[in-house]
Amino acid sequence: MTSRSIELHKKAARLAKWLAAHDVAWTLLDPISRVFRLLRAQRQEVVSERLLLRWGCDKLIDSRKVLHGPFRELEFPRVEASQLAPIYPKILGCYERELHPIIESIRHKNYHRILDIGCAEGYYVAGFAQLFPESIVHAYDIDPTALALCQRMIEINGLTERVRLSSSCTQDDLASFEFQDPSLILCDCEGYEANLFTEETVKNLKTCDLIVEVHDFLDINISDQIKKLFEPTHVVTRVGTLDDLQKAHHYRYSETDHFPLEVKKCLFSENRGQYMEWLFIQPKPD
Protein backbone atom coordinates (compact mmCIF):
# COMPACT_ATOMS: atom_id res chain seq x y z
CA MET A 1 0.00 0.00 0.00
CA THR A 2 1.16 3.53 -0.72
CA SER A 3 1.40 6.16 2.03
CA ARG A 4 -1.69 7.89 0.58
CA SER A 5 -3.78 4.70 0.61
CA ILE A 6 -2.67 3.96 4.17
CA GLU A 7 -3.78 7.42 5.26
CA LEU A 8 -7.15 7.03 3.50
CA HIS A 9 -7.63 3.68 5.22
CA LYS A 10 -6.95 5.27 8.61
CA LYS A 11 -9.45 8.06 7.93
CA ALA A 12 -12.09 5.53 6.84
CA ALA A 13 -11.49 3.50 10.00
CA ARG A 14 -11.90 6.62 12.18
CA LEU A 15 -15.12 7.53 10.38
CA ALA A 16 -16.48 4.01 10.76
CA LYS A 17 -15.68 4.05 14.48
CA TRP A 18 -17.40 7.42 14.89
CA LEU A 19 -20.53 6.24 13.08
CA ALA A 20 -20.67 2.98 15.06
CA ALA A 21 -20.40 4.89 18.35
CA HIS A 22 -23.44 7.11 17.62
CA ASP A 23 -26.74 5.38 18.26
CA VAL A 24 -28.85 7.50 15.90
CA ALA A 25 -26.40 7.10 13.03
CA TRP A 26 -26.14 3.37 13.64
CA THR A 27 -29.94 3.01 13.66
CA LEU A 28 -29.91 4.32 10.09
CA LEU A 29 -26.80 2.48 8.94
CA ASP A 30 -27.38 -0.95 10.48
CA PRO A 31 -29.94 -2.11 7.84
CA ILE A 32 -27.56 -0.99 5.09
CA SER A 33 -24.65 -2.83 6.70
CA ARG A 34 -26.76 -6.00 6.86
CA VAL A 35 -27.46 -5.75 3.13
CA PHE A 36 -23.76 -5.37 2.37
CA ARG A 37 -22.89 -8.36 4.59
CA LEU A 38 -25.46 -10.42 2.72
CA LEU A 39 -24.07 -9.23 -0.61
CA ARG A 40 -20.54 -10.12 0.45
CA ALA A 41 -21.63 -13.59 1.52
CA GLN A 42 -23.46 -14.13 -1.77
CA ARG A 43 -20.43 -12.91 -3.70
CA GLN A 44 -18.15 -15.32 -1.85
CA GLU A 45 -20.56 -18.14 -2.64
CA VAL A 46 -20.56 -17.25 -6.35
CA VAL A 47 -16.76 -17.01 -6.47
CA SER A 48 -16.42 -20.38 -4.70
CA GLU A 49 -18.86 -22.06 -7.09
CA ARG A 50 -16.97 -20.70 -10.10
CA LEU A 51 -13.70 -22.00 -8.69
CA LEU A 52 -15.17 -25.46 -8.12
CA LEU A 53 -16.58 -25.59 -11.65
CA ARG A 54 -13.25 -24.44 -13.13
CA TRP A 55 -11.54 -27.41 -11.46
CA GLY A 56 -14.23 -29.85 -12.56
CA CYS A 57 -15.46 -30.56 -9.04
CA ASP A 58 -19.03 -30.94 -10.29
CA LYS A 59 -18.03 -34.43 -11.48
CA LEU A 60 -17.75 -35.45 -7.80
CA ILE A 61 -21.49 -35.09 -7.32
CA ASP A 62 -22.63 -36.71 -10.59
CA SER A 63 -23.46 -40.03 -8.93
CA ARG A 64 -25.36 -38.35 -6.06
CA LYS A 65 -23.96 -41.07 -3.76
CA VAL A 66 -22.01 -40.48 -0.54
CA LEU A 67 -18.39 -41.52 -1.09
CA HIS A 68 -17.00 -41.87 2.45
CA GLY A 69 -17.94 -41.77 6.13
CA PRO A 70 -20.61 -43.58 8.15
CA PHE A 71 -23.31 -43.00 5.51
CA ARG A 72 -21.28 -44.28 2.54
CA GLU A 73 -23.43 -45.31 -0.47
CA LEU A 74 -26.40 -43.24 0.72
CA GLU A 75 -28.08 -41.74 -2.34
CA PHE A 76 -29.38 -38.20 -2.80
CA PRO A 77 -32.33 -37.31 -5.04
CA ARG A 78 -31.48 -35.66 -8.35
CA VAL A 79 -32.66 -32.16 -7.58
CA GLU A 80 -30.93 -28.80 -7.87
CA ALA A 81 -27.66 -28.93 -5.94
CA SER A 82 -28.64 -25.71 -4.14
CA GLN A 83 -31.50 -27.62 -2.46
CA LEU A 84 -28.96 -30.00 -0.92
CA ALA A 85 -26.40 -27.40 0.09
CA PRO A 86 -23.71 -27.86 1.19
CA ILE A 87 -23.73 -30.68 -1.35
CA TYR A 88 -19.98 -31.27 -1.73
CA PRO A 89 -19.23 -32.15 1.93
CA LYS A 90 -22.31 -34.39 2.02
CA ILE A 91 -21.32 -36.29 -1.12
CA LEU A 92 -17.69 -36.58 -0.01
CA GLY A 93 -18.92 -37.83 3.36
CA CYS A 94 -17.10 -35.20 5.40
CA TYR A 95 -20.21 -33.21 6.34
CA GLU A 96 -20.02 -32.55 10.09
CA ARG A 97 -17.09 -34.95 10.27
CA GLU A 98 -16.50 -33.71 13.80
CA LEU A 99 -19.41 -36.00 14.77
CA HIS A 100 -18.03 -39.13 13.12
CA PRO A 101 -16.27 -40.40 16.27
CA ILE A 102 -19.56 -40.07 18.16
CA ILE A 103 -21.49 -41.90 15.44
CA GLU A 104 -18.84 -44.62 15.46
CA SER A 105 -19.14 -44.94 19.25
CA ILE A 106 -22.92 -45.49 19.15
CA ARG A 107 -23.31 -47.54 15.98
CA HIS A 108 -23.35 -50.80 17.96
CA LYS A 109 -26.49 -49.72 19.84
CA ASN A 110 -29.83 -51.15 18.85
CA TYR A 111 -31.95 -47.98 19.05
CA HIS A 112 -35.70 -48.59 19.09
CA ARG A 113 -36.54 -45.01 18.15
CA ILE A 114 -34.49 -42.26 16.53
CA LEU A 115 -35.79 -38.68 16.41
CA ASP A 116 -34.30 -36.15 13.99
CA ILE A 117 -35.63 -32.71 14.96
CA GLY A 118 -34.85 -30.28 12.14
CA CYS A 119 -34.23 -32.96 9.54
CA ALA A 120 -33.78 -30.69 6.46
CA GLU A 121 -33.41 -32.77 3.28
CA GLY A 122 -32.97 -36.00 5.23
CA TYR A 123 -29.21 -36.64 5.25
CA TYR A 124 -29.25 -37.89 8.84
CA VAL A 125 -32.75 -39.39 8.60
CA ALA A 126 -31.75 -41.71 5.77
CA GLY A 127 -28.21 -42.11 7.11
CA PHE A 128 -29.32 -43.27 10.54
CA ALA A 129 -32.10 -45.42 9.09
CA GLN A 130 -29.43 -47.11 6.98
CA LEU A 131 -26.97 -47.41 9.87
CA PHE A 132 -29.56 -48.76 12.33
CA PRO A 133 -31.71 -51.16 10.27
CA GLU A 134 -33.94 -52.15 13.22
CA SER A 135 -34.86 -48.58 14.20
CA ILE A 136 -37.95 -46.50 13.49
CA VAL A 137 -36.88 -42.96 12.59
CA HIS A 138 -39.13 -39.96 13.28
CA ALA A 139 -38.23 -36.89 11.21
CA TYR A 140 -39.44 -33.37 11.97
CA ASP A 141 -39.13 -30.11 10.05
CA ILE A 142 -41.35 -27.03 9.90
CA ASP A 143 -40.32 -26.38 6.27
CA PRO A 144 -42.65 -28.21 3.81
CA THR A 145 -39.96 -28.12 1.11
CA ALA A 146 -37.50 -29.84 3.43
CA LEU A 147 -40.03 -32.55 4.27
CA ALA A 148 -40.74 -33.13 0.57
CA LEU A 149 -37.01 -33.55 -0.09
CA CYS A 150 -36.71 -35.85 2.92
CA GLN A 151 -39.55 -37.96 1.54
CA ARG A 152 -37.70 -38.33 -1.76
CA MET A 153 -34.48 -39.15 0.09
CA ILE A 154 -35.99 -42.02 2.03
CA GLU A 155 -37.85 -43.31 -1.03
CA ILE A 156 -34.79 -43.64 -3.26
CA ASN A 157 -32.90 -45.38 -0.43
CA GLY A 158 -35.73 -47.83 0.19
CA LEU A 159 -36.38 -46.69 3.76
CA THR A 160 -40.01 -45.53 3.59
CA GLU A 161 -41.43 -48.21 5.86
CA ARG A 162 -39.22 -47.22 8.79
CA VAL A 163 -39.45 -43.41 8.63
CA ARG A 164 -42.25 -41.22 9.97
CA LEU A 165 -42.41 -37.58 8.82
CA SER A 166 -43.98 -34.76 10.85
CA SER A 167 -44.07 -30.98 10.53
CA SER A 168 -43.04 -30.11 14.07
CA CYS A 169 -41.91 -31.41 17.44
CA THR A 170 -43.04 -29.34 20.42
CA GLN A 171 -42.24 -29.45 24.11
CA ASP A 172 -45.43 -31.41 24.70
CA ASP A 173 -44.57 -33.87 21.92
CA LEU A 174 -41.15 -34.54 23.42
CA ALA A 175 -42.45 -34.75 26.98
CA SER A 176 -45.12 -37.31 26.04
CA PHE A 177 -43.23 -39.35 23.42
CA GLU A 178 -43.19 -43.05 24.34
CA PHE A 179 -39.48 -43.79 24.24
CA GLN A 180 -38.14 -47.30 24.54
CA ASP A 181 -34.70 -48.05 25.89
CA PRO A 182 -32.46 -47.14 24.14
CA SER A 183 -33.40 -44.22 21.87
CA LEU A 184 -31.47 -41.47 20.05
CA ILE A 185 -32.34 -37.82 19.44
CA LEU A 186 -30.56 -35.64 16.90
CA CYS A 187 -31.53 -31.98 17.19
CA ASP A 188 -30.62 -29.13 14.84
CA CYS A 189 -33.44 -26.61 15.01
CA GLU A 190 -31.75 -23.22 14.62
CA GLY A 191 -32.02 -22.04 18.22
CA TYR A 192 -35.39 -23.62 19.08
CA GLU A 193 -33.46 -26.09 21.22
CA ALA A 194 -33.47 -23.38 23.92
CA ASN A 195 -37.28 -23.74 24.14
CA LEU A 196 -37.58 -27.45 23.33
CA PHE A 197 -35.52 -28.79 26.23
CA THR A 198 -37.08 -27.99 29.60
CA GLU A 199 -37.25 -29.67 33.01
CA GLU A 200 -40.44 -31.42 31.89
CA THR A 201 -39.08 -32.72 28.58
CA VAL A 202 -35.80 -33.83 30.12
CA LYS A 203 -37.71 -36.01 32.60
CA ASN A 204 -38.84 -38.09 29.61
CA LEU A 205 -35.34 -38.42 28.13
CA LYS A 206 -33.56 -40.34 30.89
CA THR A 207 -32.79 -43.31 28.63
CA CYS A 208 -32.00 -41.28 25.50
CA ASP A 209 -28.70 -40.45 23.85
CA LEU A 210 -28.77 -36.97 22.28
CA ILE A 211 -26.70 -35.02 19.78
CA VAL A 212 -27.78 -31.38 19.98
CA GLU A 213 -26.39 -28.64 17.76
CA VAL A 214 -26.41 -25.53 19.92
CA HIS A 215 -26.72 -22.07 18.41
CA ASP A 216 -24.91 -19.93 20.94
CA PHE A 217 -24.31 -17.25 18.32
CA LEU A 218 -28.05 -16.49 18.67
CA ASP A 219 -27.94 -16.60 22.48
CA ILE A 220 -24.66 -17.33 24.23
CA ASN A 221 -26.53 -18.97 27.13
CA ILE A 222 -28.16 -21.80 25.14
CA SER A 223 -25.48 -24.47 25.56
CA ASP A 224 -24.99 -23.79 29.27
CA GLN A 225 -28.75 -23.81 29.81
CA ILE A 226 -29.15 -27.23 28.13
CA LYS A 227 -26.06 -28.64 29.84
CA LYS A 228 -27.43 -27.63 33.25
CA LEU A 229 -30.79 -29.29 32.51
CA PHE A 230 -29.21 -32.64 31.60
CA GLU A 231 -26.31 -32.82 34.07
CA PRO A 232 -28.27 -34.52 36.91
CA THR A 233 -29.07 -37.54 34.72
CA HIS A 234 -26.64 -37.43 31.79
CA VAL A 235 -22.98 -36.96 30.90
CA VAL A 236 -22.61 -33.95 28.60
CA THR A 237 -19.65 -33.58 26.21
CA ARG A 238 -18.98 -30.55 24.04
CA VAL A 239 -17.81 -31.05 20.44
CA GLY A 240 -16.61 -28.03 18.47
CA THR A 241 -16.59 -27.33 14.75
CA LEU A 242 -13.39 -27.18 12.72
CA ASP A 243 -12.46 -24.08 10.75
CA ASP A 244 -12.55 -24.41 6.94
CA LEU A 245 -8.79 -23.71 6.84
CA GLN A 246 -8.16 -26.67 9.16
CA LYS A 247 -10.30 -28.89 6.95
CA ALA A 248 -8.41 -27.83 3.82
CA HIS A 249 -5.09 -28.71 5.45
CA HIS A 250 -6.07 -31.95 7.19
CA TYR A 251 -8.93 -33.71 5.35
CA ARG A 252 -7.60 -36.37 2.99
CA TYR A 253 -9.60 -38.08 0.24
CA SER A 254 -8.34 -39.73 -2.93
CA GLU A 255 -10.89 -37.73 -4.94
CA THR A 256 -9.61 -34.38 -3.66
CA ASP A 257 -5.89 -34.82 -2.92
CA HIS A 258 -4.84 -33.36 -6.29
CA PHE A 259 -6.73 -30.09 -5.72
CA PRO A 260 -4.95 -26.94 -4.46
CA LEU A 261 -5.77 -25.74 -0.95
CA GLU A 262 -8.11 -22.96 -2.07
CA VAL A 263 -10.26 -25.52 -3.91
CA LYS A 264 -10.25 -27.91 -0.94
CA LYS A 265 -11.34 -25.06 1.32
CA CYS A 266 -14.38 -24.48 -0.91
CA LEU A 267 -15.11 -28.20 -1.25
CA PHE A 268 -15.11 -28.88 2.48
CA SER A 269 -16.83 -25.66 3.54
CA GLU A 270 -20.21 -25.95 5.28
CA ASN A 271 -20.76 -22.16 5.14
CA ARG A 272 -21.15 -21.82 8.90
CA GLY A 273 -19.60 -18.40 9.23
CA GLN A 274 -18.77 -18.88 12.91
CA TYR A 275 -17.55 -21.42 15.45
CA MET A 276 -20.32 -23.71 16.71
CA GLU A 277 -20.72 -26.67 19.04
CA TRP A 278 -22.72 -29.82 19.55
CA LEU A 279 -23.58 -31.36 22.89
CA PHE A 280 -23.26 -35.15 23.02
CA ILE A 281 -25.52 -36.20 25.88
CA GLN A 282 -25.53 -39.74 27.28
CA PRO A 283 -27.37 -41.24 30.28
CA LYS A 284 -25.16 -41.71 33.32
CA PRO A 285 -24.34 -45.35 34.03
CA ASP A 286 -26.38 -46.94 36.81
Side-chain angles (χ1 to χ4, degrees), residues 224-263:
D224 283 350
Q225 171 187 320
I226 294 175
K227 186 173 183 288
K228 184 178 180 180
L229 282 169
F230 278 98
E231 277 183 329
T233 55
H234 290 70
V235 176
V236 182
T237 304
R238 292 180 181 269
V239 179
T241 55
L242 287 179
D243 183 81
D244 288 342
L245 292 175
Q246 293 174 292
K247 296 175 185 178
H249 282 289
H250 299 296
Y251 283 6
R252 295 285 181 269
Y253 298 101
S254 59
E255 297 87 353
T256 65
D257 282 346
H258 62 288
F259 291 129
L261 285 172
E262 59 267 25
V263 176

Side-chain angles (χ1 to χ4, degrees), residues 3 26 28 83 95 136 150 153 159 173 182 188 202 275 286:
S3 58
W26 185 247
L28 298 172
Q83 293 184 275
Y95 179 66
I136 300 297
C150 187
M153 185 89 163
L159 302 166
D173 294 329
D188 178 6
V202 169
Y275 174 80
D286 295 331

Side-chain angles (χ1 to χ4, degrees), residues 67-225:
L67 299 171
H68 301 279
F71 304 148
R72 188 174 180 272
E73 294 299 315
L74 192 71
E75 187 173 351
F76 281 92
R78 293 189 174 277
V79 297
E80 289 293 327
S82 60
Q83 293 184 275
L84 305 173
I87 182 63
Y88 289 102
K90 290 173 181 174
I91 292 295
L92 284 167
C94 63
Y95 179 66
E96 297 186 347
R97 192 168 118 171
E98 300 93 331
L99 296 179
H100 287 189
I102 291 174
I103 295 173
E104 186 61 33
S105 73
I106 62 175
R107 66 182 303 162
H108 67 285
K109 295 191 176 184
N110 184 23
Y111 291 118
H112 291 279
R113 292 289 185 270
I114 297 175
L115 277 61
D116 186 346
I117 305 171
C119 64
E121 83 293 324
Y123 177 73
Y124 280 108
V125 173
F128 279 141
Q130 175 180 276
L131 198 63
F132 300 99
E134 303 300 319
S135 301
I136 300 297
V137 181
H138 298 261
Y140 305 87
D141 205 293
I142 61 174
D143 182 356
T145 301
L147 284 180
L149 284 171
C150 187
Q151 180 67 44
R152 293 186 62 178
M153 185 89 163
I154 62 175
E155 285 174 355
I156 63 173
N157 287 282
L159 302 166
T160 307
E161 292 185 1
R162 292 193 294 109
V163 177
R164 314 286 186 263
L165 300 180
S166 302
S167 59
S168 66
C169 180
T170 66
Q171 292 178 9
D172 289 342
D173 294 329
L174 202 57
S176 61
F177 194 93
E178 294 184 4
F179 289 105
Q180 298 180 47
D181 184 15
S183 294
L184 172 67
I185 297 174
L186 176 70
C187 179
D188 178 6
C189 50
E190 307 303 323
Y192 182 62
E193 67 272 11
N195 300 311
L196 184 62
F197 296 109
T198 66
E199 290 184 3
E200 286 303 310
T201 58
V202 169
K203 288 178 184 177
N204 195 37
L205 307 179
K206 291 181 180 179
T207 63
C208 295
D209 291 335
L210 299 96
I211 303 172
V212 181
E213 183 170 302
V214 286
H215 297 77
D216 280 6
F217 67 91
L218 298 175
D219 179 351
I220 198 170
N221 297 297
I222 291 177
S223 61
D224 283 350
Q225 171 187 320

Side-chain angles (χ1 to χ4, degrees), residues 3-120:
S3 58
R4 179 174 175 78
S5 61
I6 292 173
E7 186 60 32
L8 287 172
H9 185 271
K10 289 180 178 179
K11 289 181 179 179
R14 287 195 293 270
L15 176 61
K17 186 174 182 179
W18 183 87
L19 290 170
H22 287 73
D23 293 344
V24 174
W26 185 247
T27 300
L28 298 172
L29 290 173
D30 187 37
I32 299 174
S33 71
R34 292 173 186 266
V35 170
F36 276 104
R37 286 198 295 270
L38 179 60
L39 283 172
R40 179 177 290 276
Q42 291 296 321
R43 176 61 182 174
Q44 289 175 341
E45 187 175 323
V46 168
V47 170
S48 295
E49 190 62 34
R50 287 176 180 173
L51 180 64
L52 294 175
L53 289 175
R54 193 182 314 138
W55 280 86
C57 297
D58 53 315
K59 296 182 178 64
L60 292 172
I61 61 175
D62 282 348
S63 71
R64 283 295 200 271
K65 285 191 175 182
V66 178
L67 299 171
H68 301 279
F71 304 148
R72 188 174 180 272
E73 294 299 315
L74 192 71
E75 187 173 351
F76 281 92
R78 293 189 174 277
V79 297
E80 289 293 327
S82 60
Q83 293 184 275
L84 305 173
I87 182 63
Y88 289 102
K90 290 173 181 174
I91 292 295
L92 284 167
C94 63
Y95 179 66
E96 297 186 347
R97 192 168 118 171
E98 300 93 331
L99 296 179
H100 287 189
I102 291 174
I103 295 173
E104 186 61 33
S105 73
I106 62 175
R107 66 182 303 162
H108 67 285
K109 295 191 176 184
N110 184 23
Y111 291 118
H112 291 279
R113 292 289 185 270
I114 297 175
L115 277 61
D116 186 346
I117 305 171
C119 64

